[in-house]
Each structure stands twice: as C-alpha cells, then as structure tokens.
Amino acid sequence: MGAPDVTVVCVGPETSDVPLYDPKLLAGLDWGDVTHMKGGGDYERGFLQLLAQLTKVGDITREQFEERFETMRRCSGHYYVTVVEDMDQGKVIASATLACELKFIRGCATRGRLEDVVVSDQYRGRQLGKLIVTTINLLARHVGCYKLGLDCRDDMKKFYSSLGYASEPGNDNTMIIRFPASCPSANGIPSDASCSNGTPTTAPAAATTASSNL
Ligand code: 16G
C-alpha cells in the first residue's frame, strides 16, 4: 500500500454540523506540505475502534458518543480531539487530543496535555504519528499553552523526544492513582487498579521535605 491520501480534521459525530473546535485553527497552522483539511470525522468511521488500539474503550453507543462530543464542545477551548482520515477508505486512521487546563499560576496560564495518541496498526510506519503529534504541538502553541506535556510508555520516549518533548531534570515523574471500576468516574470499565479506595497497597517511600514546596 502506498502513502494514503490523508486529511487532518477535528473529530465529530456525523449528525453534528457544529465542529468540536474551529477548523480554521487547523487551516491556520504552519503545515509544511500537508494541505488537505475539512470538517468531519465520526463514530461510523472507526474512531472508537482506533482508540481501542490504545486502551480499553468499552461499548460506547452512538448516543453516548454524541453526548460526550457535545459536552466537550461546550467546554470551548479545552478539548481539541484531532484525527487523521484516510480519504479513500473513509476511515479514521490516527488520533490525538490536545486537552487544555486552566491555571492560576503563571498569570492565569493554560497548560496543554497531549492525550490519546494512536495510529491504526494497519498504517504504522508512515509518519502518521509524527503528523498527528506535530499537529497537536502546533495547535497548543497557537492557542497559547505555556507548556505541553504527556505521559507514555517507556518504549515511546524516543518517539516523543524526536518531536520536542524532554524530561526535565529533577521533575521527571508521572504519578497516578487508579480508581476501581465501582468509582463512577471509571464508567464501569475495569481499571488496572491495585488498590480499592485510592490508597496505595504498598507503603510509599518516606517523603523528604527538604527543598519541597509542601
Ligand atoms: C497513554 C496515553 C494517554 C492515554 C493512556 C491510556 C499518550 C501520549 N499517552 O498514556 O493519553 O490516556 O495511555 O491508558 O497518548 P489508560 O487507559 O491505561 O489510562
């Protein structure tokens, strides 16, 4: 298979005429040689199946998808779910999200997070990961994020390093608590939690308060 004819769009259900975010934002980015843009992307085109190649997705009905889309759309300026479509196949083949978090710090700054990056297994090795992540990098800068971060598996560090991400000395730790499926926010999808109430089952190492801000 040769290079697919692709377009980069904001995601959306086909029933919605209103995009998740202004598509002009994508058109306004400095794309280099990527020129095809349009609005669209949808439930039918394999978006959720694609996300399932990244993690658990669950059985999401079209109604749930549209409801979540509307909720995200109403949070204007917070969710930039962006997909690459194969124009010939009418399929979503890569996706990534810029999630923006409002802060009080740094003069009420906005922090960006690169989330849910995935390229369809049938399309890997064709620079689509680079395309979608570069899109999010440009978008984050364009909408005014002061920094953009991510968490990823160890084996992905080299890829993200090649696209500008770096570990900061002394600040290179992502820590999480996994809540169990009974937690409403887990939406009934079993997590891989090793604890039942947000309390780690293993005792944490003694914290040091030296030069700490706690
Ligand atoms: C990865 C993703 C993160 C995603 C998570 C899902 C990137 C850069 N990182 O860490 O965005 O939400 O996997 O895994 O795409 P989880 O379902 O186990 O939380």
Side-chain angles (χ1 to χ4, degrees):
M1 216 192 303
D5 182 14
V6 300
T7 186
V8 181
V9 299
C10 41
V11 80
E14 59 187 0
T15 46
S16 175
D17 293 335
V18 193
L20 184 62
Y21 62 88
D22 185 351
K24 287 200 205 96
L25 269 178
L26 287 173
L29 299 177
D30 179 8
W31 280 94
D33 56 1
V34 178
T35 52
H36 310 282
M37 319 291 163
K38 69 173 181 65
D42 63 28
Y43 183 84
E44 293 295 334
R45 294 185 184 203
F47 174 60
L48 296 177
Q49 288 83 350
L50 175 69
L51 288 184
Q53 293 183 30
L54 173 71
T55 188
K56 296 166 187 166
V57 173
D59 296 326
I60 297 178
T61 63
R62 178 189 288 269
E63 197 181 23
Q64 285 174 303
F65 174 72
E66 290 177 1
E67 206 177 298
R68 179 48 53 102
F69 171 83
E70 275 307 311
T71 306
M72 287 180 165
R73 196 177 60 75
R74 283 197 297 271
C75 298
S76 175
H78 290 283
Y79 297 101
Y80 299 86
V81 185
T82 304
V83 296
V84 177
E85 286 183 15
D86 180 326
M87 301 297 284
D88 296 329
Q89 304 293 320
K91 284 255 165 235
V92 174
I93 56 173
S95 180
T97 295
L98 166 64
C100 289
E101 183 182 314
L102 302 183
K103 300 271 193 184
F104 284 114
I105 62 164
R106 294 182 182 261
C108 293
T110 301
R111 183 225 163 111
R113 292 183 188 275
L114 173 65
E115 291 284 350
D116 302 338
V117 180
V118 58
V119 174
S120 165
D121 49 11
Q122 290 163 26
Y123 289 82
R124 291 189 190 150
R126 298 185 208 188
Q127 307 279 309
L128 292 174
K130 183 175 174 186
L131 170 66
I132 195 78
V133 172
T134 302
T135 301
I136 298 297
N137 291 358
L138 291 168
L139 251 183
R141 199 167 171 162
H142 189 79
V143 301
C145 294
Y146 84 98
K147 72 178 181 184
L148 178 59
L150 62 84
D151 58 68
C152 69
R153 294 194 320 255
D154 292 348
D155 60 353
M156 294 303 295
K157 281 176 93 169
K158 197 169 158 206
F159 167 72
Y160 289 112
S161 297
S162 74
L163 297 175
Y165 294 82
S167 301
E168 293 186 325
N171 187 20
D172 180 21
N173 301 287
T174 298
M175 302 176 80
I176 56 169
I177 297 177
R178 295 243 176 205
F179 296 107
S182 56
C183 165
S185 64
N187 284 327
I189 299 176
S191 74
D192 303 318
S194 58
C195 56
S196 59
N197 57 2
T199 308
T201 45
T202 49
T208 172
T209 50
S211 44
S212 160
N213 52 353
L214 300 179

